[in-house]
Amino acid sequence: MFYYNKADKRIFPPKRMAWAGWTVNFANSISVAVFLIVIIGIIGISLFLPK
């Protein structure tokens, strides 16, 4: 369910099925930080959009 590989230095490695997109390498601290920034950004934008 979660991709965790300390030897893999990629921030967003591709999923096993290429058509499925990319995943986050939770062993890489930079990728976790980018993931959190994106999630916080999406939540922040959705809170300020007019209803």
Side-chain angles (χ1 to χ4, degrees):
M1 181 180 278
F2 296 102
Y3 183 74
Y4 189 91
N5 185 352
K6 290 183 180 182
D8 190 358
K9 299 300 179 189
R10 296 179 289 184
I11 295 175
F12 295 111
K15 291 188 177 184
R16 289 184 184 180
M17 293 177 278
W19 57 268
W22 296 276
T23 188
V24 176
N25 183 4
F26 285 96
N28 186 339
S29 59
I30 295 171
S31 64
V32 173
V34 170
F35 176 73
L36 290 175
I37 289 169
V38 169
I39 295 298
I40 291 169
I42 291 171
I43 292 170
I45 290 171
S46 68
L47 290 175
F48 290 109
L49 288 176
K51 295 181 182 183

